Amino acid sequence: MRTTVGIIGAGPAGLLLARLLSNAGIESVVLESRDRPYVEQRQRAGILEQGTVDVLRAAGAGERMDREGLRHDGIELRYDRTRHRVDFPALTGGRSVMVYAQTEVCKDLIALQLKDGGPLLFEAEALAVEDPDTDRPRIRFRHEGREDTLECDYVVGCDGFWGVARKAVPAGLSRTFERTYPFAWLGILADVPPSHDELVYARHDRGFALLSMRSPSVSRLYLQVPEGTAPESWADDEIWAELERRFETDDDWLLARGPITQKSVTPMRSYVHEPMRHGRLFLAGDAAHIVPPTGAKGLNLAVGDVVTFARALTHQRQTGSAELLDSYSETCLRRVWQAERFSYDMTTLLHRAPDATPFEDRLQLARLARITSSRAAETELAEAYTGFPVD
């Protein structure tokens, strides 16, 4: 097999990249190790920044998102039994975010790819990226019980942290930066309408809690729990009781309970791999960087990466200049590190460390008081939350 761009991974990054390239008249082949139902059902991110929404619309993948997604113009911060709303449009010149699950983004992009895009191979396991530093890189993969080779002009690894793409970057050229947090998120899906019409981020002495949603009838909620917690160790009634404690306020707000349909635990870590390019191999999304979910940046960073690559390759095809391709890693990393900073700030602002001292508790409360009393501080949060520009 031969193509211009070999894409490893059919998550939202790989699928969106294929769509962007197709719209630009550039051939690609997408290899995905899992089957289609798995890709369309795996629960991941649910918050789309303004820039991501705009990109999906421009790519022709925004029709169902605009019909079924939930536009949010703010979030609520809770601490010390008080509530404070951060108004995004008022602070950012009109920007907002969209609640639209990654599963739905993938469904939309898969349908478009199968309808009028290039080949999309499910259950095609990438085994290795070979000769990435030449003008003929190859992806060796296994599909339908036999090994095959995809010859490419470029390879883009959208295959996540455990994928093969990053392993093709020589160890001597790689630098990694990492932080692991001593807590995790216990997440639930519940068949109950959300108890608030926007996301609620709660800082409590017992730990962080987040109220989110997947639709007007399905709630998505999270609790800070110790690292290594097993989901089944929490009974349903215990989860609801703890959520009620952490969201408690001095007014008459109440948390609605409902049947819990899914439980999972998400570890918390920050990770960056530099560089994000080696020869004609380009890393995107979790293959190059991971953020704790507190800042809602993971999916949006991946979108920024593939937009940057598609723009750079289109520029090269139109002008003959490889300038934008050559600066891919530097361009992406500027945005990545700003997102890492924001995600770290939000995580340390709202989570209580296991060994936190009274002094550190007071600092958290002081930081929250600053955000809720200073328009400048509140604007910084709103601008970062709604999204950093794609250079």
Short mmCIF file of all heavy atoms in Angstrom, two decimals, residues 215-268:
data_model
loop_
_atom_site.label_atom_id
_atom_site.label_comp_id
_atom_site.label_asym_id
_atom_site.label_seq_id
_atom_site.Cartn_x
_atom_site.Cartn_y
_atom_site.Cartn_z
N SER A 215 -25.49 14.74 28.21
CA SER A 215 -26.70 15.13 27.49
C SER A 215 -27.67 15.72 28.51
O SER A 215 -27.40 15.68 29.72
CB SER A 215 -27.31 13.92 26.79
OG SER A 215 -27.95 13.06 27.73
N PRO A 216 -28.81 16.24 28.06
CA PRO A 216 -29.79 16.75 29.02
C PRO A 216 -30.35 15.69 29.96
O PRO A 216 -30.97 16.03 30.97
CB PRO A 216 -30.89 17.32 28.11
CG PRO A 216 -30.19 17.68 26.84
CD PRO A 216 -29.16 16.61 26.66
N SER A 217 -30.12 14.41 29.66
CA SER A 217 -30.66 13.35 30.52
C SER A 217 -29.59 12.48 31.16
O SER A 217 -29.92 11.58 31.94
CB SER A 217 -31.61 12.46 29.71
OG SER A 217 -30.92 11.84 28.63
N VAL A 218 -28.32 12.72 30.86
CA VAL A 218 -27.22 11.91 31.39
C VAL A 218 -26.19 12.80 32.07
O VAL A 218 -25.65 13.72 31.45
CB VAL A 218 -26.54 11.08 30.28
CG1 VAL A 218 -25.36 10.29 30.86
CG2 VAL A 218 -27.53 10.13 29.63
N SER A 219 -25.93 12.52 33.35
CA SER A 219 -24.94 13.27 34.12
C SER A 219 -23.60 12.55 34.13
O SER A 219 -23.55 11.31 34.14
CB SER A 219 -25.42 13.47 35.56
OG SER A 219 -26.55 14.31 35.62
N ARG A 220 -22.54 13.32 34.13
CA ARG A 220 -21.17 12.81 34.27
C ARG A 220 -20.58 13.51 35.47
O ARG A 220 -20.49 14.74 35.50
CB ARG A 220 -20.38 13.12 33.00
CG ARG A 220 -18.94 12.61 33.00
CD ARG A 220 -18.89 11.12 32.85
NE ARG A 220 -17.58 10.67 32.36
CZ ARG A 220 -17.10 9.45 32.58
NH1 ARG A 220 -17.80 8.58 33.28
NH2 ARG A 220 -15.94 9.08 32.09
N LEU A 221 -20.20 12.75 36.51
CA LEU A 221 -19.69 13.34 37.74
C LEU A 221 -18.39 12.67 38.15
O LEU A 221 -18.16 11.49 37.83
CB LEU A 221 -20.72 13.23 38.86
CG LEU A 221 -22.06 13.91 38.59
CD1 LEU A 221 -23.14 12.86 38.40
CD2 LEU A 221 -22.45 14.88 39.70
N TYR A 222 -17.57 13.41 38.88
CA TYR A 222 -16.26 12.92 39.28
C TYR A 222 -15.99 13.26 40.74
O TYR A 222 -16.39 14.32 41.24
CB TYR A 222 -15.15 13.55 38.44
CG TYR A 222 -15.23 13.25 36.97
CD1 TYR A 222 -15.90 14.11 36.10
CD2 TYR A 222 -14.62 12.12 36.42
CE1 TYR A 222 -15.96 13.86 34.74
CE2 TYR A 222 -14.67 11.85 35.06
CZ TYR A 222 -15.34 12.73 34.23
OH TYR A 222 -15.39 12.47 32.88
N LEU A 223 -15.24 12.36 41.39
CA LEU A 223 -14.76 12.56 42.75
C LEU A 223 -13.24 12.36 42.78
O LEU A 223 -12.73 11.41 42.19
CB LEU A 223 -15.38 11.54 43.71
CG LEU A 223 -16.81 11.74 44.20
CD1 LEU A 223 -17.24 10.50 44.98
CD2 LEU A 223 -16.90 12.98 45.08
N GLN A 224 -12.55 13.22 43.49
CA GLN A 224 -11.14 12.96 43.77
C GLN A 224 -11.04 11.79 44.74
O GLN A 224 -11.69 11.77 45.78
CB GLN A 224 -10.48 14.19 44.39
CG GLN A 224 -9.02 13.97 44.80
CD GLN A 224 -8.44 15.13 45.58
OE1 GLN A 224 -8.96 16.25 45.53
NE2 GLN A 224 -7.37 14.88 46.31
N VAL A 225 -10.22 10.80 44.39
CA VAL A 225 -10.01 9.62 45.24
C VAL A 225 -8.51 9.33 45.27
O VAL A 225 -7.74 9.84 44.45
CB VAL A 225 -10.77 8.39 44.69
CG1 VAL A 225 -12.27 8.60 44.77
CG2 VAL A 225 -10.34 8.05 43.26
N PRO A 226 -8.04 8.52 46.22
CA PRO A 226 -6.62 8.19 46.26
C PRO A 226 -6.17 7.45 45.00
O PRO A 226 -6.94 6.70 44.39
CB PRO A 226 -6.51 7.29 47.50
CG PRO A 226 -7.67 7.66 48.36
CD PRO A 226 -8.77 8.00 47.40
N GLU A 227 -4.94 7.70 44.63
CA GLU A 227 -4.35 6.99 43.49
C GLU A 227 -4.45 5.48 43.72
O GLU A 227 -4.22 4.99 44.82
CB GLU A 227 -2.89 7.40 43.35
CG GLU A 227 -2.15 6.77 42.19
CD GLU A 227 -0.69 7.16 42.17
OE1 GLU A 227 -0.18 7.61 43.24
OE2 GLU A 227 -0.05 7.01 41.12
N GLY A 228 -4.81 4.75 42.68
CA GLY A 228 -4.92 3.29 42.78
C GLY A 228 -6.26 2.78 43.26
O GLY A 228 -6.44 1.57 43.44
N THR A 229 -7.23 3.67 43.45
CA THR A 229 -8.56 3.26 43.88
C THR A 229 -9.22 2.37 42.83
O THR A 229 -9.13 2.64 41.63
CB THR A 229 -9.44 4.50 44.14
OG1 THR A 229 -8.92 5.23 45.25
CG2 THR A 229 -10.89 4.11 44.45
N ALA A 230 -9.91 1.34 43.26
CA ALA A 230 -10.67 0.47 42.36
C ALA A 230 -12.11 1.00 42.28
O ALA A 230 -12.71 1.30 43.32
CB ALA A 230 -10.68 -0.96 42.85
N PRO A 231 -12.68 1.12 41.09
CA PRO A 231 -14.04 1.67 40.97
C PRO A 231 -15.06 0.91 41.80
O PRO A 231 -15.96 1.51 42.40
CB PRO A 231 -14.34 1.55 39.47
CG PRO A 231 -13.02 1.44 38.80
CD PRO A 231 -12.10 0.78 39.78
N GLU A 232 -14.92 -0.42 41.83
CA GLU A 232 -15.92 -1.23 42.53
C GLU A 232 -15.84 -1.09 44.06
O GLU A 232 -16.72 -1.58 44.78
CB GLU A 232 -15.79 -2.70 42.14
CG GLU A 232 -14.44 -3.32 42.43
CD GLU A 232 -13.41 -3.13 41.34
OE1 GLU A 232 -13.64 -2.29 40.42
OE2 GLU A 232 -12.36 -3.81 41.41
N SER A 233 -14.80 -0.43 44.56
CA SER A 233 -14.67 -0.26 46.01
C SER A 233 -15.64 0.80 46.54
O SER A 233 -15.80 0.93 47.75
CB SER A 233 -13.23 0.11 46.38
OG SER A 233 -12.88 1.39 45.87
N TRP A 234 -16.26 1.54 45.65
CA TRP A 234 -17.24 2.55 46.05
C TRP A 234 -18.64 2.06 45.69
O TRP A 234 -18.94 1.82 44.52
CB TRP A 234 -16.97 3.87 45.33
CG TRP A 234 -15.85 4.68 45.91
CD1 TRP A 234 -14.51 4.43 45.81
CD2 TRP A 234 -15.98 5.89 46.66
NE1 TRP A 234 -13.79 5.39 46.46
CE2 TRP A 234 -14.67 6.32 46.99
CE3 TRP A 234 -17.05 6.66 47.09
CZ2 TRP A 234 -14.40 7.47 47.73
CZ3 TRP A 234 -16.81 7.82 47.82
CH2 TRP A 234 -15.50 8.21 48.14
N ALA A 235 -19.50 1.93 46.69
CA ALA A 235 -20.90 1.61 46.43
C ALA A 235 -21.62 2.84 45.89
O ALA A 235 -21.21 3.98 46.13
CB ALA A 235 -21.58 1.14 47.72
N ASP A 236 -22.71 2.62 45.18
CA ASP A 236 -23.42 3.74 44.56
C ASP A 236 -23.87 4.78 45.59
O ASP A 236 -23.70 5.99 45.39
CB ASP A 236 -24.64 3.22 43.78
CG ASP A 236 -24.26 2.41 42.56
OD1 ASP A 236 -23.04 2.16 42.37
OD2 ASP A 236 -25.16 2.06 41.77
N ASP A 237 -24.45 4.32 46.68
CA ASP A 237 -24.94 5.26 47.70
C ASP A 237 -23.79 6.06 48.31
O ASP A 237 -23.95 7.25 48.64
CB ASP A 237 -25.70 4.52 48.79
CG ASP A 237 -27.07 4.06 48.33
OD1 ASP A 237 -27.54 4.55 47.28
OD2 ASP A 237 -27.67 3.19 49.01
N GLU A 238 -22.62 5.42 48.47
CA GLU A 238 -21.45 6.13 49.00
C GLU A 238 -21.01 7.24 48.06
O GLU A 238 -20.63 8.34 48.49
CB GLU A 238 -20.30 5.15 49.22
CG GLU A 238 -20.50 4.16 50.35
CD GLU A 238 -19.32 3.19 50.45
OE1 GLU A 238 -18.93 2.61 49.42
OE2 GLU A 238 -18.78 3.06 51.56
N ILE A 239 -21.05 6.96 46.75
CA ILE A 239 -20.65 7.97 45.77
C ILE A 239 -21.58 9.18 45.84
O ILE A 239 -21.13 10.32 45.90
CB ILE A 239 -20.66 7.36 44.35
CG1 ILE A 239 -19.55 6.32 44.22
CG2 ILE A 239 -20.50 8.45 43.29
CD1 ILE A 239 -19.59 5.52 42.93
N TRP A 240 -22.90 8.93 45.84
CA TRP A 240 -23.83 10.05 45.87
C TRP A 240 -23.70 10.85 47.17
O TRP A 240 -23.76 12.09 47.14
CB TRP A 240 -25.27 9.54 45.71
CG TRP A 240 -25.59 9.09 44.32
CD1 TRP A 240 -25.93 7.83 43.91
CD2 TRP A 240 -25.61 9.89 43.13
NE1 TRP A 240 -26.16 7.79 42.56
CE2 TRP A 240 -25.97 9.04 42.05
CE3 TRP A 240 -25.35 11.24 42.87
CZ2 TRP A 240 -26.09 9.51 40.74
CZ3 TRP A 240 -25.47 11.70 41.57
CH2 TRP A 240 -25.82 10.85 40.52
N ALA A 241 -23.52 10.17 48.26
CA ALA A 241 -23.38 10.87 49.54
C ALA A 241 -22.13 11.75 49.56
O ALA A 241 -22.16 12.89 50.05
CB ALA A 241 -23.33 9.86 50.69
N GLU A 242 -21.04 11.23 49.01
CA GLU A 242 -19.80 12.01 48.99
C GLU A 242 -19.92 13.19 48.03
O GLU A 242 -19.43 14.29 48.32
CB GLU A 242 -18.62 11.12 48.59
CG GLU A 242 -17.26 11.79 48.76
CD GLU A 242 -16.96 12.18 50.20
OE1 GLU A 242 -17.49 11.54 51.13
OE2 GLU A 242 -16.19 13.16 50.39
N LEU A 243 -20.56 12.98 46.88
CA LEU A 243 -20.78 14.10 45.96
C LEU A 243 -21.63 15.19 46.62
O LEU A 243 -21.33 16.39 46.49
CB LEU A 243 -21.48 13.60 44.69
CG LEU A 243 -20.62 12.80 43.71
CD1 LEU A 243 -21.50 12.09 42.69
CD2 LEU A 243 -19.62 13.71 43.00
N GLU A 244 -22.65 14.80 47.35
CA GLU A 244 -23.49 15.79 48.03
C GLU A 244 -22.68 16.60 49.03
O GLU A 244 -22.85 17.82 49.14
CB GLU A 244 -24.66 15.09 48.72
CG GLU A 244 -25.71 14.57 47.75
CD GLU A 244 -26.74 13.68 48.42
OE1 GLU A 244 -26.53 13.30 49.60
OE2 GLU A 244 -27.76 13.36 47.77
N ARG A 245 -21.80 15.93 49.76
CA ARG A 245 -20.97 16.64 50.73
C ARG A 245 -20.07 17.67 50.06
O ARG A 245 -19.92 18.80 50.52
CB ARG A 245 -20.13 15.66 51.54
CG ARG A 245 -20.85 15.02 52.72
CD ARG A 245 -19.89 14.27 53.62
NE ARG A 245 -19.42 13.03 52.99
CZ ARG A 245 -19.99 11.83 53.18
NH1 ARG A 245 -21.05 11.73 53.96
NH2 ARG A 245 -19.50 10.76 52.59
N ARG A 246 -19.45 17.26 48.97
CA ARG A 246 -18.46 18.14 48.33
C ARG A 246 -19.09 19.29 47.54
O ARG A 246 -18.44 20.31 47.32
CB ARG A 246 -17.53 17.32 47.45
CG ARG A 246 -16.73 16.30 48.24
CD ARG A 246 -15.65 15.64 47.42
NE ARG A 246 -15.11 14.47 48.10
CZ ARG A 246 -14.10 13.73 47.64
NH1 ARG A 246 -13.52 14.05 46.49
NH2 ARG A 246 -13.67 12.68 48.32
N PHE A 247 -20.33 19.12 47.11
CA PHE A 247 -21.01 20.19 46.38
C PHE A 247 -21.86 21.07 47.29
O PHE A 247 -22.50 22.01 46.80
CB PHE A 247 -21.93 19.59 45.30
CG PHE A 247 -21.19 19.07 44.08
CD1 PHE A 247 -21.39 17.75 43.67
CD2 PHE A 247 -20.33 19.87 43.36
CE1 PHE A 247 -20.73 17.26 42.55
CE2 PHE A 247 -19.67 19.39 42.24
CZ PHE A 247 -19.86 18.08 41.83
N GLU A 248 -21.88 20.81 48.58
CA GLU A 248 -22.81 21.51 49.47
C GLU A 248 -22.59 23.03 49.43
O GLU A 248 -21.46 23.51 49.31
CB GLU A 248 -22.65 20.99 50.90
CG GLU A 248 -21.27 21.20 51.50
CD GLU A 248 -21.11 20.50 52.85
OE1 GLU A 248 -22.12 19.95 53.33
OE2 GLU A 248 -20.00 20.53 53.40
N THR A 249 -23.69 23.77 49.52
CA THR A 249 -23.66 25.23 49.51
C THR A 249 -24.58 25.75 50.59
O THR A 249 -25.33 24.99 51.23
CB THR A 249 -24.13 25.78 48.14
OG1 THR A 249 -25.49 25.37 47.93
CG2 THR A 249 -23.25 25.26 47.01
N ASP A 250 -24.55 27.07 50.80
CA ASP A 250 -25.40 27.68 51.82
C ASP A 250 -26.78 28.03 51.31
O ASP A 250 -27.62 28.52 52.06
CB ASP A 250 -24.72 28.95 52.37
CG ASP A 250 -23.60 28.62 53.35
OD1 ASP A 250 -23.67 27.55 53.98
OD2 ASP A 250 -22.66 29.43 53.46
N ASP A 251 -27.04 27.81 50.02
CA ASP A 251 -28.38 28.06 49.50
C ASP A 251 -29.15 26.73 49.41
O ASP A 251 -28.76 25.74 50.02
CB ASP A 251 -28.33 28.79 48.16
CG ASP A 251 -27.54 28.01 47.11
OD1 ASP A 251 -27.31 26.80 47.31
OD2 ASP A 251 -27.15 28.61 46.09
N ASP A 252 -30.22 26.71 48.63
CA ASP A 252 -31.08 25.53 48.61
C ASP A 252 -30.77 24.59 47.44
O ASP A 252 -31.60 23.75 47.08
CB ASP A 252 -32.55 25.94 48.57
CG ASP A 252 -32.87 26.82 47.35
OD1 ASP A 252 -31.94 27.13 46.57
OD2 ASP A 252 -34.04 27.20 47.19
N TRP A 253 -29.58 24.71 46.82
CA TRP A 253 -29.22 23.84 45.70
C TRP A 253 -29.14 22.38 46.17
O TRP A 253 -28.62 22.08 47.24
CB TRP A 253 -27.88 24.26 45.12
CG TRP A 253 -27.45 23.47 43.91
CD1 TRP A 253 -27.75 23.75 42.61
CD2 TRP A 253 -26.68 22.26 43.89
NE1 TRP A 253 -27.20 22.80 41.78
CE2 TRP A 253 -26.55 21.87 42.53
CE3 TRP A 253 -26.09 21.48 44.89
CZ2 TRP A 253 -25.84 20.74 42.15
CZ3 TRP A 253 -25.39 20.34 44.50
CH2 TRP A 253 -25.27 19.97 43.16
N LEU A 254 -29.65 21.46 45.35
CA LEU A 254 -29.63 20.04 45.68
C LEU A 254 -29.08 19.24 44.50
O LEU A 254 -29.31 19.58 43.33
CB LEU A 254 -31.03 19.53 46.01
CG LEU A 254 -31.69 20.09 47.27
CD1 LEU A 254 -33.13 19.60 47.37
CD2 LEU A 254 -30.89 19.69 48.51
N LEU A 255 -28.39 18.16 44.80
CA LEU A 255 -27.87 17.25 43.79
C LEU A 255 -28.89 16.14 43.56
O LEU A 255 -29.29 15.44 44.50
CB LEU A 255 -26.54 16.64 44.25
CG LEU A 255 -25.90 15.61 43.31
CD1 LEU A 255 -25.44 16.28 42.02
CD2 LEU A 255 -24.73 14.91 44.00
N ALA A 256 -29.30 15.97 42.30
CA ALA A 256 -30.25 14.91 41.96
C ALA A 256 -29.52 13.59 41.79
O ALA A 256 -28.47 13.52 41.16
CB ALA A 256 -31.00 15.27 40.69
N ARG A 257 -30.09 12.53 42.38
CA ARG A 257 -29.51 11.19 42.24
C ARG A 257 -30.23 10.42 41.13
O ARG A 257 -31.37 10.72 40.78
CB ARG A 257 -29.64 10.42 43.55
CG ARG A 257 -28.85 10.99 44.71
CD ARG A 257 -28.86 10.02 45.88
NE ARG A 257 -28.10 10.50 47.03
CZ ARG A 257 -27.70 9.72 48.03
NH1 ARG A 257 -27.99 8.42 48.00
NH2 ARG A 257 -27.02 10.22 49.04
N GLY A 258 -29.54 9.40 40.62
CA GLY A 258 -30.13 8.53 39.61
C GLY A 258 -29.32 7.26 39.47
O GLY A 258 -28.25 7.11 40.10
N PRO A 259 -29.77 6.32 38.66
CA PRO A 259 -29.04 5.05 38.48
C PRO A 259 -27.66 5.29 37.86
O PRO A 259 -27.53 5.97 36.84
CB PRO A 259 -29.94 4.27 37.52
CG PRO A 259 -31.28 4.92 37.59
CD PRO A 259 -31.03 6.35 37.89
N ILE A 260 -26.64 4.72 38.47
CA ILE A 260 -25.27 4.81 37.95
C ILE A 260 -25.07 3.68 36.95
O ILE A 260 -25.25 2.51 37.27
CB ILE A 260 -24.24 4.73 39.09
CG1 ILE A 260 -24.36 5.97 39.99
CG2 ILE A 260 -22.82 4.62 38.53
CD1 ILE A 260 -23.45 5.93 41.22
N THR A 261 -24.71 4.04 35.71
CA THR A 261 -24.57 3.05 34.64
C THR A 261 -23.12 2.69 34.35
O THR A 261 -22.86 1.67 33.69
CB THR A 261 -25.22 3.56 33.36
OG1 THR A 261 -24.57 4.79 32.96
CG2 THR A 261 -26.70 3.82 33.56
N GLN A 262 -22.19 3.49 34.84
CA GLN A 262 -20.78 3.21 34.57
C GLN A 262 -19.90 3.86 35.63
O GLN A 262 -20.20 4.98 36.08
CB GLN A 262 -20.38 3.74 33.19
CG GLN A 262 -18.95 3.39 32.76
CD GLN A 262 -18.59 4.03 31.44
OE1 GLN A 262 -17.85 5.01 31.38
NE2 GLN A 262 -19.11 3.48 30.35
N LYS A 263 -18.86 3.14 36.04
CA LYS A 263 -17.85 3.68 36.95
C LYS A 263 -16.47 3.43 36.35
O LYS A 263 -16.23 2.39 35.74
CB LYS A 263 -17.90 2.98 38.32
CG LYS A 263 -19.19 3.10 39.08
CD LYS A 263 -19.10 2.31 40.40
CE LYS A 263 -20.44 2.20 41.09
NZ LYS A 263 -20.36 1.37 42.33
N SER A 264 -15.58 4.39 36.55
CA SER A 264 -14.20 4.23 36.10
C SER A 264 -13.30 5.12 36.93
O SER A 264 -13.77 6.07 37.58
CB SER A 264 -14.06 4.60 34.61
OG SER A 264 -14.41 5.96 34.41
N VAL A 265 -12.02 4.81 36.93
CA VAL A 265 -11.05 5.62 37.65
C VAL A 265 -9.99 6.11 36.65
O VAL A 265 -9.44 5.32 35.88
CB VAL A 265 -10.38 4.84 38.79
CG1 VAL A 265 -9.20 5.63 39.36
CG2 VAL A 265 -11.40 4.57 39.89
N THR A 266 -9.76 7.40 36.66
CA THR A 266 -8.79 8.03 35.75
C THR A 266 -7.59 8.50 36.54
O THR A 266 -7.72 9.35 37.44
CB THR A 266 -9.43 9.23 35.04
OG1 THR A 266 -10.59 8.80 34.31
CG2 THR A 266 -8.43 9.89 34.09
N PRO A 267 -6.38 7.99 36.25
CA PRO A 267 -5.19 8.51 36.92
C PRO A 267 -4.89 9.92 36.46
O PRO A 267 -5.33 10.34 35.38
CB PRO A 267 -4.09 7.53 36.48
CG PRO A 267 -4.58 6.96 35.19
CD PRO A 267 -6.08 6.92 35.28
N MET A 268 -4.14 10.65 37.25
CA MET A 268 -3.84 12.05 36.96
C MET A 268 -2.34 12.19 36.71
O MET A 268 -1.52 11.87 37.59
CB MET A 268 -4.26 12.92 38.14
CG MET A 268 -5.71 12.78 38.54
SD MET A 268 -6.83 13.64 37.43
CE MET A 268 -6.60 15.32 38.01
#
